[in-house]
Amino acid sequence: MTASLSPSRRGLLSAALAVAVAGALARPAFPAGGPGPREGGDVIFLIDSLGPTWIPNNSAISSFQGHIWGHVTDKLAYVDADGKVSPWIATGWEQNAEATEFTLHLRAGATFSDGAPLDAAAVVANLDIWHAGRIKEGINPIGLFPKTYDRSEAVDPRTVKVFFKAPTLGFIPTLGYHGSILISPKTLAKPATQQADLARSAGSGPFVVAAWKEGDFVKLVRRKDYEWGPAAVGHTGPAHLDSITYKVVGEPSLRVSAVQSGQADIAYNASPQELKSLKEAGFTVATPRYLGFVNGWAINTRLAPYNDVKVRQALQAGINRQEILDTVYTPDWKLATSFIQSNVPGAADHSALLAYDPGKAERLLDEAGWTRGRGGIRTRDGKPLTLTLYSNPYLATAKSVDELIAQQLGRIGWKVDIRAYDVVTFGQKVLIGGPAVPAYEVTRSFIDAGTVASILTNANNGENWFSLADSDPKMNDLRDRIAGANSVATRDPLLDELQRYVLEQGYYIPRTQIVQRIYVQSPKLKGETYNGIAYASYYTATKGE
């Protein structure tokens, strides 16, 4: 059950909120006409982190900063929770038969908050930096932006032509990815040190940054001249709310207690175990699934013993995924059926490959030469069978899941160590393909499944998730055929084959379908929407008394 807010806890919370709420967040009285939804109102959103940087390219895909970017910027296309793509700043588009050339038509009149027009030249500047970044300055490319991008041209102020080196079916959906935020060319031209100052970044969205303090809070206020929201959400004019303030409060129970007491409106990343009682108490609870990878591990195949397919297959069979759902989660969570979420267009159901079979796992380890030793831990050549897990700070439940899996694998003969870092340290120490990290926990979204194959190896500057480089001919073949497909009908069977192969080889070890973003919300706040990346948008929201 959720604890009530004691006087001592209320004092702690008041201190934690002081900077954000003093003066600037005083709520005006409602106008005459009775309670209920209305224009105006201020919202406080409590979050566990605001990340290490505000450079747009580097922070747009963060589970934390992405909330802010989603309100101060727009995208060329809108993608809903089911993966449906619809117009936004791009009012329409065409592509050639080979899916190598695309023409984007832009709406008239949109501007950035610094007064610059959101025209074809601005779109070209954004496409270029999404693709290439400015790596020497520390500005990263957007990870899932198509690696096949060649160039784009402003045909006229409202038309952009985009060229790719190979078929790129996923281009239009990726325009709705949370990394694909439109930033003023004036901001993009600034050095990274100035881009890191959030107050200097101009977007075209329905809110602008009014104030911010590193690691503490960000206050957004409504942009009154905004008129170009995505039609798919049923509203295109200015936002209804006056302001949204994102305030860092590290302890989950304090965030929830603040919403219960009326000191805040939204608590992010509550414990799943609290959700049932919160719903019963009348609070709005949302657990949207995003389009992307399931929560699981990318396995480093360069590290022994995970360079042995039998050890990886034993790991795949040795995890009881149903027990994870029953113990840690609620019915809002679902079993993984592949290494991508089941709501992604192109996802296949390979549940049979993820069945819990400890007997199979034991046999595979026996065949690989790992024998039971003291305390039940398996050894080979005098070395224990070990696995180090680095709990992902972006997922509130990661450590609990790790601890349960450690028990499951311990029964088979693994010695599992668990390490936990904060967001910044995790980003520095735990990298996909890092030389000392055997299992990198993935919580990663994407919009189009066709982009997946390109990041699994190192082709075209891919991310080489499994440290395979080009050593697996079948992976390379599937990657290239998926990348070269010029129709969904051709691509989907190849995606099915890729999913089967990656799971069979134990390259990716799914845990559960992911609900990474958990929202607990005051019943006074209504009308929010959730997009394909499971971000809550309060652009359409209203607040009652």
Side-chain angles (χ1 to χ4, degrees), residues 482-499:
I482 289 169
N486 60 6
S487 71
V488 171
T490 300
R491 193 180 69 180
D492 277 356
L494 298 171
L495 283 170
D496 186 1
E497 189 176 355
L498 174 71
Q499 291 167 72

Side-chain angles (χ1 to χ4, degrees), residues 261-430:
S261 67
Q263 291 180 276
D265 302 285
I266 307 108
Y268 188 56
N269 279 349
S271 167
Q273 285 75 27
E274 293 185 288
L275 301 186
K276 184 174 184 292
S277 61
L278 287 164
K279 286 180 185 177
E280 291 172 349
F283 293 93
T284 302
V285 171
T287 54
R289 283 187 303 155
Y290 61 42
L291 303 166
F293 295 95
V294 302
N295 176 238
W297 301 324
I299 299 299
N300 187 342
T301 61
R302 288 186 305 196
L303 279 183
Y306 304 99
N307 55 352
D308 185 335
V309 64
K310 289 186 176 180
V311 174
R312 299 195 302 268
Q313 290 170 336
L315 196 60
Q316 194 76 284
I319 295 175
N320 187 338
R321 295 166 175 87
Q322 186 62 55
E323 186 180 26
I324 295 172
L325 296 190
D326 294 343
T327 305
V328 178
Y329 292 118
T330 73
D332 296 291
W333 276 256
K334 299 179 184 297
L335 283 170
T337 58
S338 176
F339 69 91
I340 58 179
Q341 303 266 78
S342 62
N343 57 331
V344 173
D349 187 344
H350 291 294
S351 304
L353 297 175
L354 304 177
Y356 177 51
D357 191 342
K360 175 183 177 181
E362 298 259 16
R363 289 192 301 274
L364 286 164
L365 291 174
D366 289 341
E367 292 170 9
W370 293 92
T371 58
R372 291 274 188 178
R374 182 179 301 176
I377 299 299
R378 289 178 179 267
T379 62
R380 190 181 71 182
D381 301 328
K383 296 181 179 180
L385 180 62
T386 62
L387 177 63
T388 301
L389 301 179
Y390 299 86
S391 297
N392 193 325
Y394 291 96
L395 191 64
T397 53
K399 192 168 186 291
S400 297
V401 175
D402 286 342
E403 290 169 348
L404 181 57
I405 290 177
Q407 295 173 18
Q408 296 173 353
L409 295 178
R411 293 193 288 269
I412 298 168
W414 254 281
K415 181 179 184 297
V416 180
D417 296 319
I418 300 172
R419 299 179 187 175
Y421 299 121
D422 61 24
V423 169
V424 175
T425 309
F426 182 84
Q428 294 168 344
K429 290 181 176 289
V430 186

